[in-house]
Amino acid sequence: QVHVVESGGGLVRAGGSLRLSCTASELDPQNYAMAWFRQAPGKEREGVACISWSSSSTSLSDSVKGRFTISRDNAKRTYYLQMNSLKPEDTAMYYCAAREGGYCPRVFGRPDDFVYWGQGTQVTVSS
């Protein structure tokens, strides 16, 4: 079984920052694009950011553009989501996911495009 593990979530005030980390030690980085999704209670799972295996391309949802940055350290098999200027509407469970082939989807946002998932890390942004 492939283990994908997120960390770094927590409680932060609006305007603050948080960095999420994801490790996927069993996956060859060259074969996988990595992404972050989030899901708030009562809402659909939403694609937040995606990064290709070589970091040659990234995708960001409109709601986080200019505030969040996705990056990866292939040598460490660790993937990051830097979240700045956090808003209460960013409150959600954040999930790390991997897509076979190494590239982000042309249109990013469908959870079914990703085959391996972590169990999530909670991010709560207070007013």
Side-chain angles (χ1 to χ4, degrees):
Q1 182 170 316
V2 172
H3 288 88
V4 178
V5 182
E6 304 97 333
S7 63
L11 175 63
V12 64
R13 291 185 178 181
S17 297
L18 214 53
R19 187 176 78 158
L20 307 184
S21 297
C22 168
T23 59
S25 297
E26 297 156 308
L27 302 181
D28 183 346
Q30 188 173 343
N31 294 331
Y32 293 92
M34 302 299 296
W36 291 91
F37 287 74
R38 66 187 182 188
Q39 189 166 26
K43 298 184 70 177
E44 297 291 320
R45 191 163 296 191
E46 171 192 12
V48 176
C50 184
I51 187 165
S52 65
W53 75 271
S54 65
S55 302
S56 62
S57 63
T58 60
S59 297
L60 291 166
S61 68
D62 289 340
S63 62
V64 306
K65 260 175 209 168
R67 300 188 297 121
F68 290 12
T69 303
I70 189 169
S71 61
R72 60 194 292 159
D73 185 335
N74 286 345
K76 295 181 180 178
R77 300 191 175 189
T78 301
Y79 314 93
Y80 305 97
L81 185 68
Q82 178 67 47
M83 305 185 294
N84 299 326
S85 302
L86 282 161
K87 304 174 179 179
E89 50 262 48
D90 295 318
T91 295
M93 185 73 72
Y94 282 71
Y95 298 91
C96 180
R99 184 178 193 247
E100 295 177 328
Y103 299 94
C104 298
R106 304 62 32 186
V107 177
F108 169 64
R110 296 175 67 255
D112 286 351
D113 287 337
F114 294 80
V115 295
Y116 298 115
W117 292 81
Q119 291 191 311
T121 185
Q122 178 68 37
V123 172
T124 303
V125 184
S126 63
S127 302

